[in-house]
Amino acid sequence: MNTTTEAAAGGGDLAVWVRTEPKLQEKVYGRRLPNGMELFVWPKPGFTKKFAALATHYGSIDSHFYPPGSNEAVHVPDGIAHFLEHKMFEEENGSVFERFAKLGASANAYTNYNQTTYIFSCTDRFEENLRILIDFVFHPYFTDQNVEKEKGIIAQELKMYRDEPAQEVYRHLLEALYHENPVRLEIGGTVESIQKITKEDLYTCYNTFYHPSNMVLVAAGDLDPEATLDLAAQEILARRPRVQGEIRRLYPSEPKGVRESRHEETLVAAQPILYLGFKDGQVGLTGEPLLRREVATAYVLHLLLGRSSSLYNQLYEEGLINDDFGTAYIASPQYAHIIIGGETRDPKRLEQRIWEGIHAFVAQGIAPADFARVRRRWLGHSVLQFDSVEYIANRCASLHFEGVNLLDYPEIVSRVTLEEVASRLKDAFVPEQAAASIVWPQAASGRKV
Amino acid sequence: MEASTFVTRPLAEGVTLYVRPTRQFKKVTVRLFFHHPLGEDAGLTALVPRVLLRGSRLHPTTADLARYREELYGLGLDAEIGKIGRDQLVEWELTGVHPQFVGAGQELLRQQLGLLAEVITDPLWQDGTSTSGQLSFRADYVDQEKRVLQDLIASLINDKRSYAMVRLYQEMFAGDPFSIYRYGSAEGIEPVTPHQLAEQYQRLLQESPLTIFVVGDVDPVQIEEQLRELWAQLLHDRPGHLPAGGWMPSPHPVRRTHEPQPTRQALLYLGYSTGGITYASDAYPALTMYSAILGGFPHSKLFLQVREKASLAYFAWTRLESTMGAMVATCGINAQDEERALDIIQHQVEAMARGDFTEEEWSATLEGLITGLRSAYDSPNSLIDRVLMGVVNGRQRPIEEMIAALQRVTKDQVVEVAQKVQLDTIYFLGEREAQG
């Protein structure tokens, strides 16, 4: 594919760049602000919705760090990044939701292991909404009272997730796979851990991680890119003109091997659930190497257990799996693991059959024809992702923190070779790095439907 | 933004094609709906597409089909069972990349459309049965799909909120076909034979009204020609679609059901009758405003009162079941807060009936609804779902018309709706402390 990068015409501001992918018919404008923040605008002519995401590279795993100007590291309560996300919506004069609502926009936010993202969606008055987004994310307002009030709300949110068997089996899998890495903890913390959170903790985290140099803004929709970049730059620089010091985060080193090779528990569920997990022995990749590893792993998983694989079809026909079965690879510079599983009538037998399938696959290797066919699938799918402004903005932000421009994604996918996939297959499934998490159903109390 | 959303073409009696030619998307979306009245045969109907997806005459195994879809650049081909009012919908969905983005020729689109026709109309029959005159699907596929569909029905309990919604409707609409779960019941599926399934398949193929949608960079005339050629076996006359909604409960005291379950979060679901107002009613825009002011947004009464003020819940909202003429209000709480939450919700419902809402609540709600409606232009599926609602309800409400109608709604009309809304059923899922 041809990619061209040039200074945007007309504006005369060399800080604004534009890149195009003619074959993909996509274009992205960007600008790096003097305070270190990156801005992206994806013009999507013909789209009605206008969407923006303002994200900070700060998630649930960042609970041990040096506050700015301090030489003493602090350890904040688990779940604080998510708690902070909730509290950002509160202001002196009420809720941020109301400011967006007046303009007919809908706002929301989400926190994951690595980042906190604030989003809004509108069809009209984008500029005013963008001003509100920037204004509220750069304006913390925490009081003892509003922090206390939030505890009941978040406790309900955490309880809701814990009533989902699939979430529970995943949570226990991560607890089994990892000794130390904070990815083993719930993103939102626990009902107990959030009780300890104070407004002072929230300000400490805010002042440490909500730095422009640690943040990114992405807008997508039928927008004037240069005007949008100008407006965003002006609003952000008015609030945070300077570069702030480097963020020093502390992550525990993760030993090789798993903490426990299996975890079993009983709860209200339709039938047993098995998740097998495989922890990567080595992490620390960023940028294109990380993305290529993600894609190569996805190939491995699809060739091993996708709908077109013989193993998937055998397991299905043997009555061991159903529509719930799936695979995933979750990777970041700090942790990475494969998950395989779903509902099953016989978790022990399924576990055994998956291992047999893995050994056979590793022995047999990957046929070039299978690789070529799955590659076509990838090429198609990497294009379709550009049909949604939400997807573009959210994915552009998360890939930016990994060191990749979303526009390069289809091209990077197409560069992944059979050799890369074959070599990934060899190190993907190490027994010492594997764990199983099983949920057994409690005597069902649900009625027949 | 294009105001008229679809080009409409009747292809036969009971078969309508809706095409939206647009360069907006890199994918081409095709959806095909067989409308079938919800009834005792719901499980049987739900099995049909599952067995068809296991293999066709030309691609006899699931792996063969999956490999061919990969060749077609990861063509999405799936079936799902939907339910709108008393319609059970057998839905087929095709999502393929437009040829120009993968350097493929126009034959790709033809192959995509052809595969859907192949799976639906050229199935894999059990060997030998066609000569005996008794058509039958492969017994092993049928058995496997019966098991997986039964799993799917049972797994509803894993999603407590969906489960609670289904259970509320079962209580509220007891005896009405609407209370039937879209996949039927495990017991209903158990005795199904491969031959029975083949008969149900043929009934659907011959008699069900069909609604077809295509959204993407296509030419409506060419698409019609291609469908007439590739889908010829589907495009024959059938009975037309009959409206499948509406409900007027006979007067009764509020029903209250408690289902004990050891959950961490208790779920309170309140079912209301709208007093006969449905999607097809002239008062539907006023009902939409009513429900949204009460619980449609984070600025709405329920979110502010139950969550932000009382700190009882993470979610609190209302949703319309507009084909039937019902509304659900819900929140997730600690079990001991049941009465308090119920009280707050009822107070807000009463406030609505008194016309107790502000200019700000009104305008934010109206703006929010308009944004939601217009956002559908960016999603082929949302656009399709809207027209489909119109088909099932016998009244189309195009986006811009609906917006204009919402803008004309008056406060008095909303109060009038509010006074018709009646609490019908209270459903509570959770571990309630021992009572009296």
Side-chain angles (χ1 to χ4, degrees):
Chain A
M1 278 185 213
N2 284 318
T3 302
T4 57
T5 304
E6 58 189 282
D13 183 350
L14 285 176
V16 176
W17 52 262
V18 54
R19 290 189 46 201
T20 56
E21 272 287 359
K23 195 171 150 199
L24 200 58
Q25 296 176 24
E26 289 294 331
K27 200 185 246 197
V28 55
Y29 289 70
R31 181 167 171 182
R32 190 184 171 86
L33 300 183
N35 62 17
M37 186 158 164
E38 296 275 358
L39 314 178
F40 296 88
V41 177
W42 294 77
K44 293 293 284 181
F47 275 69
T48 303
K49 227 183 313 188
K50 299 172 175 75
F51 187 90
L54 176 50
T56 171
H57 196 191
Y58 164 53
S60 65
I61 65 169
D62 301 301
S63 58
H64 195 194
F65 55 87
Y66 290 94
S70 164
N71 278 322
E72 243 172 275
V74 295
H75 216 134
V76 289
D78 296 332
I80 198 163
H82 171 255
F83 200 106
L84 178 54
E85 171 230 294
H86 270 240
K87 286 329 294 173
M88 289 307 298
F89 283 89
E90 200 133 1
E91 298 184 324
E92 288 87 336
N93 311 316
S95 152
V96 173
F97 287 124
E98 286 163 36
R99 289 169 75 190
F100 281 109
K102 281 202 180 102
L103 300 172
S106 66
N108 212 333
Y110 60 90
T111 304
N112 60 26
Y113 296 115
N114 313 296
Q115 74 182 73
T116 313
T117 311
Y118 299 86
I119 56 183
F120 76 81
S121 171
C122 67
T123 55
D124 201 13
R125 290 180 282 184
F126 174 81
E127 293 76 13
E128 288 168 71
N129 285 304
L130 184 62
R131 281 198 189 95
I132 297 174
L133 178 70
I134 293 167
D135 184 53
F136 95 83
V137 175
F138 287 115
H139 177 73
Y141 173 69
F142 315 129
T143 65
D144 292 329
Q145 202 189 355
N146 75 26
V147 168
E148 276 320 298
K149 186 209 79 177
E150 206 66 21
K151 291 177 180 173
I153 296 170
I154 295 178
Q156 281 305 321
E157 184 180 2
L158 300 177
K159 288 179 183 181
M160 179 176 85
Y161 300 140
R162 298 225 30 207
D163 281 335
E164 294 168 17
Q167 292 271 349
E168 283 292 273
V169 75
Y170 181 51
R171 192 167 70 83
H172 289 300
L173 178 68
L174 294 187
E175 285 178 359
L177 283 175
Y178 290 93
H179 294 266
E180 300 290 342
N181 194 296
V183 72
R184 66 193 302 280
L185 305 169
E186 280 280 85
I187 290 168
T190 63
V191 172
E192 295 73 39
S193 76
I194 62 166
Q195 302 308 323
K196 296 180 227 142
I197 292 173
T198 65
K199 76 166 193 284
E200 288 74 24
D201 293 333
L202 294 179
Y203 277 115
T204 301
C205 293
Y206 183 86
N207 291 330
T208 307
F209 294 106
Y210 282 59
H211 280 194
S213 58
N214 193 44
M215 298 173 81
V216 64
L217 174 74
V218 188
D222 199 347
L223 298 165
D224 175 340
E226 300 198 34
T228 304
L229 289 172
D230 277 350
L231 172 67
Q234 198 184 317
E235 295 289 320
I236 292 164
L237 291 172
R239 290 168 177 80
R240 297 285 190 283
R242 279 178 299 280
V243 181
Q244 286 168 277
E246 202 192 329
I247 298 170
R248 288 182 294 160
R249 313 163 197 243
L250 296 166
Y251 298 114
S253 70
E254 175 67 25
K256 287 247 187 284
V258 297
R259 189 160 177 270
E260 41 173 358
S261 60
R262 71 178 41 244
H263 180 96
E264 302 189 31
E265 73 167 322
T266 302
L267 45 93
V268 177
Q271 61 169 303
I273 303 172
L274 166 75
Y275 277 17
L276 278 180
F278 302 85
K279 180 169 78 169
D280 274 22
Q282 287 202 315
V283 292
L285 297 180
T286 57
E288 183 173 333
L290 176 61
L291 188 56
R292 285 176 85 130
R293 187 173 170 87
E294 286 178 34
V295 174
T297 312
Y299 267 101
V300 167
L301 293 172
H302 188 80
L303 288 162
L304 173 69
L305 277 164
R307 300 272 156 136
S308 59
S309 69
S310 51
L311 181 57
Y312 176 91
N313 287 286
Q314 285 163 19
L315 299 175
Y316 191 93
E317 288 174 16
E318 288 166 24
L320 285 171
I321 60 173
N322 62 27
D323 292 3
D324 189 50
F325 187 81
T327 61
Y329 180 55
I330 292 144
S332 87
Q334 282 81 33
Y335 57 85
H337 47 262
I338 287 168
I339 310 163
I340 296 174
E343 286 189 349
T344 177
R345 298 199 170 178
D346 188 345
K348 303 254 156 105
R349 172 95 186 120
L350 177 59
E351 187 181 352
Q352 184 200 337
R353 293 285 289 114
I354 291 172
W355 273 111
E356 286 168 15
I358 288 170
H359 295 317
F361 186 40
V362 171
Q364 183 192 331
I366 297 162
D370 288 340
F371 173 78
R373 205 186 54 242
V374 175
R375 185 168 181 272
R376 279 166 85 110
R377 173 180 183 269
W378 266 93
L379 295 180
H381 286 189
S382 66
V383 169
L384 297 189
Q385 305 177 332
F386 292 92
D387 274 349
S388 151
V389 291
E390 289 95 332
Y391 179 86
I392 290 173
N394 284 308
R395 187 75 172 133
C396 177
S398 61
L399 280 176
H400 170 69
F401 291 139
E402 288 183 14
V404 173
N405 186 324
L406 172 64
L407 197 68
D408 296 327
Y409 183 84
E411 171 69 20
I412 292 175
V413 164
S414 76
R415 283 207 289 261
V416 172
T417 62
L418 172 59
E419 290 67 35
E420 257 174 291
V421 177
S423 118
R424 178 65 180 121
L425 169 60
K426 289 203 186 92
D427 74 7
F429 306 107
V430 179
E432 295 72 33
Q433 297 286 100
S437 170
I438 298 172
V439 157
W440 296 98
Q442 187 169 317
S445 54
R447 299 215 192 155
K448 295 268 190 272
V449 295
Chain B
M1 192 195 317
E2 297 149 67
S4 80
T5 48
F6 285 90
V7 178
T8 309
R9 300 283 303 146
L11 298 184
E13 286 289 323
V15 183
T16 313
L17 168 66
Y18 297 86
V19 185
R20 180 171 170 82
T22 170
R23 295 228 160 113
Q24 191 181 346
F25 306 110
K26 301 188 198 303
K27 63 174 160 274
V28 178
T29 305
V30 180
R31 286 167 80 194
L32 164 63
F33 296 86
F34 290 78
H35 301 258
H36 184 71
L38 257 177
E40 290 304 311
D41 62 354
L44 186 61
T45 305
L47 272 173
V48 170
R50 297 197 65 94
V51 171
L52 294 177
L53 276 172
R54 292 299 304 280
S56 66
R57 188 174 57 85
L58 299 172
H59 296 92
T61 71
T62 313
D64 293 334
L65 267 178
R67 285 173 196 150
Y68 184 52
R69 292 197 287 110
E70 287 167 358
E71 296 283 355
L72 301 180
Y73 296 91
L75 174 68
L77 167 61
D78 214 344
E80 183 48 291
I81 301 297
K83 167 172 139 175
I84 303 180
R86 298 185 187 92
D87 249 16
Q88 188 185 18
L89 297 151
V90 178
E91 174 193 348
W92 294 88
E93 187 179 333
L94 202 61
T95 317
V97 63
H98 193 280
Q100 64 171 306
F101 296 102
V102 285
Q106 283 298 322
E107 73 277 4
L108 180 62
L109 183 59
R110 221 187 131 74
Q111 290 168 316
Q112 293 169 343
L113 291 170
L115 184 60
L116 181 55
E118 176 192 317
V119 168
I120 298 175
T121 64
D122 194 5
L124 180 67
W125 297 114
Q126 178 82 291
D127 287 341
T129 48
S130 47
T131 47
S132 72
Q134 276 234 322
L135 276 182
S136 195
F137 288 114
R138 260 178 66 165
D140 54 344
Y141 284 180
V142 173
D143 282 344
Q144 287 155 14
E145 293 311 318
K146 279 162 70 173
R147 170 187 63 81
V148 174
L149 187 58
Q150 286 173 330
D151 281 0
L152 203 55
I153 292 169
S155 73
L156 181 63
I157 190 77
N158 290 354
D159 177 351
K160 305 290 180 296
R161 281 158 285 160
S162 300
Y163 175 79
M165 187 75 116
V166 168
R167 289 283 300 114
L168 168 71
Y169 286 152
Q170 281 184 342
E171 297 292 327
M172 199 167 160
F173 291 91
D176 187 302
F178 179 71
S179 68
I180 297 170
Y181 188 41
R182 63 193 165 119
Y183 299 132
S185 68
E187 293 76 19
I189 290 160
E190 195 53 45
V192 168
T193 66
H195 172 61
Q196 259 182 319
L197 200 58
E199 285 183 335
Q200 185 75 351
Y201 159 73
Q202 285 175 315
R203 244 190 313 275
L204 290 169
L205 208 64
Q206 297 308 318
E207 297 166 17
S208 294
L210 273 186
T211 312
I212 304 166
F213 297 90
V214 181
V215 178
D217 188 5
V218 295
D219 175 55
V221 176
Q222 264 178 22
I223 275 289
E224 184 179 339
E225 281 169 11
Q226 283 188 323
L227 291 186
R228 285 198 185 278
E229 179 200 336
L230 297 165
W231 292 14
Q233 289 191 64
L234 288 170
L235 308 185
H236 54 78
D237 292 348
R238 303 144 177 281
H241 185 270
L242 300 171
W247 170 63
M248 246 328 196
S250 44
H252 63 84
V254 174
R255 269 182 234 125
R256 197 157 181 176
T257 303
H258 167 226
E259 189 168 327
Q261 223 189 64
T263 56
R264 290 182 170 85
Q265 179 177 65
L267 298 174
L268 178 62
Y269 275 63
L270 309 183
Y272 297 83
S273 148
T274 62
I277 304 169
T278 67
Y279 194 79
S281 308
D282 291 338
Y284 174 68
L287 175 66
T288 304
M289 280 298 289
Y290 166 81
S291 171
I293 293 172
L294 180 61
F297 296 98
H299 66 260
S300 300
K301 289 181 183 295
L302 294 192
F303 191 90
L304 292 182
Q305 298 301 322
V306 181
R307 171 170 152 147
E308 295 298 313
K309 285 235 173 80
S311 222
L312 292 184
Y314 170 65
F315 68 86
W317 44 254
T318 58
R319 188 161 300 163
L320 288 175
E321 175 25 80
S322 54
T323 302
M324 295 307 292
M327 182 182 76
V328 174
T330 177
C331 56
I333 53 178
N334 282 329
Q336 68 266 24
D337 293 330
E338 179 187 0
E339 292 304 325
R340 233 181 115 201
L342 184 60
D343 221 48
I344 295 172
I345 294 173
Q346 287 295 72
H347 267 97
Q348 298 312 308
V349 171
E350 286 158 19
M352 291 299 297
R354 288 194 305 271
D356 188 359
F357 39 82
T358 63
E359 206 43 56
E360 287 74 37
E361 287 174 275
W362 182 279
S363 69
T365 302
L366 181 59
E367 293 292 329
L369 288 171
I370 293 172
T371 301
L373 283 159
R374 291 217 169 107
S375 296
Y377 287 118
D378 290 351
S379 156
N381 283 338
S382 301
L383 287 170
I384 290 169
D385 289 342
R386 183 160 199 87
V387 176
L388 189 68
M389 271 297 276
V391 170
V392 173
N393 284 277
R395 177 168 181 173
Q396 287 297 339
R397 292 188 173 277
I399 293 171
E400 298 304 322
E401 264 182 59
M402 182 65 190
I403 289 171
L406 287 171
Q407 286 166 332
R408 284 194 304 269
V409 172
T410 65
K411 186 174 170 176
D412 287 346
Q413 288 170 333
V414 169
V415 173
E416 209 174 301
V417 166
Q419 287 169 353
K420 288 188 179 154
V421 170
Q422 288 281 334
L423 181 59
D424 185 273
T425 302
I426 301 172
Y427 172 82
F428 183 79
L429 181 76
E431 208 85 283
R432 194 150 64 182
E433 280 149 51
Q435 321 214 349

